[in-house]
Amino acid sequence: MNQLSVGMDTPVVVDRRTLVGYDNYLAAQRTVDTLSDAGFPVENLAIVGSDLRLEETVTGRMTNGRAALTGAGSGLVFGLVVGMFLGLFTSTTLSFFMLVLWAGLWGAVMGAAFGFINHFFTGGKRDFASRSAIVAGRYDVLVAASHFDHARAVMEGAPVQADTVVVEAPPSAGPYDPAAGRPATPPADPQTASSVTARQRPDS
């Protein structure tokens, strides 16, 4: 029996249809949960985010003291982990706890020193702390074309969440191309295209 080998660089086009789209990920996640609770084969689903953007949330002002305190906390945790690992090779319980204590203490000291020096040499160019995340403008729940009618029937009978905002589905509902990150545009029907052109042409 012949087997088709697919390389890592070989693009795979999956025939998936847009079931519903939302403006937040939690709503898309609840949709998948609803289908899963109804016994739908969720391995035929996918959540695809589009219109990606980077959001950086500022959490507070960063000073030399706060940088040292943050570094001390990280160093303490690292020191305790190293101390517990080395303590496994000790012979008494007292030596184990002493080793863990000293390792945590030295980790906190070194972490505080590193955090202070690292922030000090920035020269005040970044005096704030923040966290970054990549978010999407919309989240589409895609389903395999062979299971589309089943999924739509389940969603029609499911209760609608009060805080769920459904966004308009894209005009294309063709096969989904992971490489392009969006549904592939199906070939236009010549009759449909001519009728649309006729409606858009101004009267002479």
Side-chain angles (χ1 to χ4, degrees), residues 8 34 64 67 80 85-86 90 96 99 114 123 132 137 146 158 162 167 180 184 198:
M8 296 296 294
T34 300
N64 290 333
L80 290 176
F85 175 75
L86 296 178
T90 58
F96 172 82
L99 182 60
F114 180 79
S132 301
S146 57
V167 296

Side-chain angles (χ1 to χ4, degrees), residues 111-129:
F114 180 79
F116 178 86
I117 294 173
N118 186 49
H119 183 264
F120 178 79
F121 280 103
T122 60
K125 294 181 180 179
R126 188 180 174 86
D127 287 337
F128 63 91

Side-chain angles (χ1 to χ4, degrees), residues 188-199:
D189 187 359
Q191 296 181 354
T192 303
S194 60
S195 61
V196 172
T197 305
R199 288 197 301 270

Side-chain angles (χ1 to χ4, degrees), residues 15-116:
D15 188 6
R16 289 174 175 162
R17 310 285 171 168
T18 302
L19 179 64
V20 66
Y22 301 101
D23 64 344
N24 63 89
Y25 175 76
L26 293 179
Q29 179 179 286
R30 285 197 296 265
T31 296
V32 177
D33 288 337
T34 300
L35 292 169
S36 177
D37 294 339
F40 184 84
V42 292
E43 62 272 11
N44 296 286
L45 298 174
I47 300 177
V48 178
S50 57
D51 299 333
L52 300 180
R53 65 182 184 273
L54 176 66
E55 289 188 359
E56 184 175 6
T57 303
V58 179
T59 58
R61 185 171 180 267
M62 179 61 70
T63 61
N64 290 333
R66 185 174 180 180
L69 184 61
T70 303
S74 302
L76 175 63
V77 174
F78 179 77
L80 290 176
V81 172
V82 174
M84 285 188 292
F85 175 75
L86 296 178
L88 297 176
F89 301 98
T90 58
S91 57
T92 62
T93 304
L94 180 61
S95 59
F96 172 82
F97 284 107
M98 290 298 296
L99 182 60
V100 172
L101 179 62
W102 277 107
L105 178 61
W106 278 107
V109 171
M110 297 301 297
F114 180 79
F116 178 86

Side-chain angles (χ1 to χ4, degrees), residues 162-181:
D163 59 341
T164 298
V165 178
V166 181
V167 296
E168 184 180 358
S172 172
Y176 181 77
D177 186 358

